[in-house]
Amino acid sequence: MRHWRRALIGCAAAALLALPGAAMAKTLVIGIQENLTGLDPSNANETSAQSASRLFYQGLYGFDRDMKLVPLLAESFTVSDDAKQYTFVLRQGVKFQDGTDFNAQAVKISLERLANPENKLKRQSLLSMLDHVEVVDDHTVKVLLKEPFGALVNTLAHPGTMIISPAALEKYGKDIGRNPVGTGPFSFKSWSADTLEAVRNDGYWKGAPKVDGVTIRSVPENGSRVAMLQAGEAQFITPVPPEMVKVVRANAALEVDERPSIVNWYVALNTRKKPFDDVRVRQALNYAVDRNAFCKVVLSGFCEPADAPMPPTLKFYAKQGVWPYDPAKGKALLAEAGYADGFEAVLWSGNSTTSVRATQFLQQQLAQIGVKAQVTPLESGVLSQKIWSVQTPEEATVQMYYGGWSSSTGDADWALRPLLWGKGFPPKLFNVAYYSNPEVDAALEAAVATADEGKRAEAYAKVQAQVWQDAPWIDIAVEHVLSAQAKDLSGVFVLPDRGFVVEDPAFQ
């Protein structure tokens, strides 16, 4: 009898190993450079936090790897001629990870929660045009807007609009950011310090994932992130440090994915503070930076000098031309503005290796025209508090901020309005330069008030030309997106906006 039982156990084990993916089911480990700041997608500014939230949440629409719209929790939509009423047909048979049903009421609760300014959610501006959501039936909703908005479906593909379980919102309240519950492929397990753990959602509407779970580790130091990948401690990392691409490519078990991006790097200059309130000073700083050298030194050639306030791959881009590298002209403009001996300023940035290298390069460049920039790297939470949480321009202490931006809606509106609209100062939006030009404001507002592409193109061309002249930023570069992974991994990719998607992870 004992031998019979051993044989039966052996046969069962062999059968299990024969099941597709059974032998290879394991936890996927992803290494990222930023620390996570929260898991409420409606209340997170950082691309890394919103990417992590995609493990748990989904929106009505999403993006494929080329940032083309794909239906997720909605199957289709129709829009009224005046672009003020959108009707969505919802997917049926979907459940949240807590077992409750996904339905029209859940959509109404999530979207209206985000749009309500009293909730003070960081992504409220995405739906500031929302009037209300009407439940037609369990699987149909009407989204009614206060004014025409031609970019709504793209906006609903932004991770900030993903749908949260109403039961979880009621249970956790403001603590939902540490207790995510959505319709996504993974369920929340734990989050502490620099490690987020998720486990397979066996009830996922597309079918249970082929891995046991996903662990995201925050590793700001470039060398450590690559070392994790090389040692097999991580199977996917983003971004790959540009200077280490050759090292990763030399490993036969790994591969690097290089893709065009919509990520624009710049230094925002607080136009409400001296000396940055003088356009001659701002233009002088632009003349002081060699963009080609920046791309070579900071990003190992994996970038292109910026030639407009938004990247070329976005619709309605209007080329302005790269700022020439001319320190002599920069010095002359500073002298004309009354700063012949230069000035001192503080330059903030994130604390990743690449951000620190970038600001040190900029420090050296600006020194050539007599500007002494004190480089101050800040951890994500501190940076968020010092920049994004400030309530009024008068309270803002930022002078210069090196950062990157990508239009995570895939539309020109989100590439320009959050950063350059005079009504978009923090905490409402992300205009860290506190830049305001009535002509730019009017054009930005006109561009989203119509679905006519000709009119939108005209308005955005006007915005880009005026902003380039006003120089509220030191426009620097558009980087390439670099990620790396184990060759036996599939189903994970980075979007052109630097966000990553764990779509259908599997190991061969």
Side-chain angles (χ1 to χ4, degrees):
M1 179 68 73
R2 186 176 299 168
H3 294 299
W4 176 82
R5 290 179 63 191
R6 285 178 181 168
L8 184 60
I9 292 170
C11 290
L16 179 62
L17 291 173
L19 289 173
M24 298 306 294
K26 61 179 183 181
T27 295
L28 164 64
V29 179
I30 297 174
I32 63 174
Q33 72 176 359
E34 297 96 355
N35 292 313
L36 300 178
T37 57
L39 296 171
D40 176 355
S42 300
N43 201 35
N45 285 331
E46 299 78 16
T47 300
S48 56
Q50 293 190 320
S51 295
S53 295
R54 281 190 174 106
L55 294 174
F56 315 110
Y57 293 112
Q58 295 172 307
L60 299 184
Y61 277 77
F63 295 111
D64 66 13
R65 63 186 303 133
D66 297 314
M67 285 201 81
K68 293 179 181 177
L69 282 171
V70 293
L72 287 176
L73 296 178
E75 293 183 333
S76 63
F77 76 93
T78 55
V79 56
S80 62
D81 291 339
D82 64 0
K84 290 179 65 176
Q85 180 175 300
Y86 291 74
T87 302
F88 294 89
V89 177
L90 307 180
R91 195 173 298 278
Q92 300 186 31
V94 177
K95 288 186 178 292
F96 290 102
Q97 292 133 12
D98 57 10
T100 59
D101 291 330
F102 164 75
N103 53 29
Q105 185 65 23
V107 174
K108 177 180 174 66
I109 290 171
S110 264
L111 298 188
E112 290 185 351
R113 168 184 180 260
L114 172 58
N116 186 350
E118 293 182 5
N119 292 327
K120 297 182 179 180
L121 297 171
K122 293 176 181 176
R123 289 297 184 179
Q124 186 271 335
S125 56
L126 284 167
L127 292 182
S128 60
M129 77 299 293
L130 178 65
D131 185 80
H132 69 281
V133 177
E134 178 183 324
V135 174
V136 178
D137 56 45
D138 274 354
H139 305 294
T140 311
V141 293
K142 286 185 179 180
V143 178
L144 304 170
L145 308 180
K146 301 171 188 173
E147 66 255 350
F149 188 69
L152 182 69
V153 180
N154 275 78
T155 298
L156 292 177
H158 188 289
T161 68
M162 293 189 293
I163 307 302
I164 303 173
S165 161
L169 280 171
E170 185 175 348
K171 178 178 180 180
Y172 297 112
K174 292 183 178 180
D175 291 330
I176 192 70
R178 299 198 69 90
N179 299 277
V181 182
T183 61
F186 296 93
S187 299
F188 178 71
K189 179 181 179 182
S190 66
W191 175 32
S192 59
D194 58 1
T195 302
L196 169 68
E197 294 183 280
V199 296
R200 179 174 57 219
N201 173 15
D202 289 326
Y204 182 45
W205 60 273
K206 287 188 178 182
K210 300 180 183 69
V211 298
D212 292 332
V214 176
T215 296
I216 296 177
R217 299 192 189 282
S218 301
V219 188
E221 204 282 313
N222 281 348
S224 299
R225 202 162 59 253
V226 171
M228 284 177 61
L229 184 69
Q230 296 270 39
E233 295 172 3
Q235 296 78 45
F236 187 93
I237 65 169
T238 179
V240 178
E243 71 277 10
M244 296 184 179
V245 168
K246 290 182 180 179
V247 173
V248 178
R249 282 178 171 162
N251 188 327
L254 305 175
E255 60 187 13
V256 175
D257 184 29
E258 177 188 354
R259 300 170 56 78
S261 88
I262 55 171
V263 182
N264 195 31
W265 289 97
Y266 60 94
V267 176
L269 307 170
N270 189 338
T271 59
R272 295 282 184 111
K273 290 187 179 296
K274 291 186 177 297
F276 308 111
D277 59 342
D278 192 320
V279 68
R280 294 169 296 183
V281 171
R282 302 195 299 268
Q283 291 176 348
L285 299 182
N286 271 284
Y287 282 118
V289 177
D290 185 339
R291 276 84 175 165
N292 288 313
F294 177 94
C295 283
K296 183 178 180 180
V297 173
V298 178
L299 295 173
S300 300
F302 295 103
C303 81
E304 309 295 336
D307 60 7
M310 58 184 265
T313 49
L314 282 177
K315 197 172 185 179
F316 305 124
Y317 152 83
K319 182 176 181 179
Q320 305 301 311
V322 178
W323 279 88
Y325 175 54
D326 192 344
K329 185 156 189 175
K331 284 183 177 180
L333 280 170
L334 283 186
E336 185 181 320
Y339 298 95
D341 297 326
F343 58 88
E344 297 181 3
V346 178
L347 173 57
W348 288 348
S349 74
N351 66 345
S352 71
T353 306
T354 304
S355 290
V356 171
R357 184 165 61 246
T359 50
Q360 289 174 344
F361 174 87
L362 293 169
Q363 181 185 50
Q364 294 168 359
Q365 295 276 287
L366 297 178
Q368 296 178 97
I369 63 170
V371 175
K372 297 178 181 178
Q374 177 186 322
V375 170
T376 306
L378 301 172
E379 185 272 330
S380 297
V382 176
L383 195 63
S384 178
Q385 187 64 32
K386 283 181 170 289
I387 293 182
W388 312 123
S389 301
V390 174
Q391 297 298 308
T392 67
E394 292 73 26
E395 294 175 43
T397 57
V398 61
Q399 294 178 305
M400 306 171 72
Y401 165 63
Y402 171 78
W405 182 265
S406 56
S407 175
S408 294
T409 67
D411 189 86
D413 168 61
W414 203 246
L416 299 170
R417 186 167 54 91
L419 304 175
L420 298 163
W421 190 33
K423 302 174 186 176
F425 300 156
K428 180 177 181 179
L429 279 168
F430 312 100
N431 186 348
V432 184
Y434 292 94
Y435 167 71
S436 180
N437 182 310
E439 292 183 5
V440 170
D441 292 349
L444 287 171
E445 291 162 11
V448 292
T450 178
D452 185 308
E453 292 200 353
K455 292 180 180 178
R456 295 192 78 200
E458 182 180 351
Y460 286 129
K462 183 176 182 179
V463 168
Q464 291 171 79
Q466 187 63 55
V467 167
W468 208 247
Q469 180 180 326
D470 291 345
W473 303 339
I474 305 175
D475 290 274
I476 302 175
V478 179
E479 72 168 320
H480 300 179
V481 172
L482 298 168
S483 61
Q485 66 179 67
K487 282 187 176 179
D488 65 349
L489 173 67
S490 62
V492 187
F493 59 87
V494 175
L495 293 164
D497 71 347
R498 288 185 300 161
F500 61 89
V501 177
V502 185
E503 181 68 25
D504 186 21
F507 292 98
Q508 296 176 2

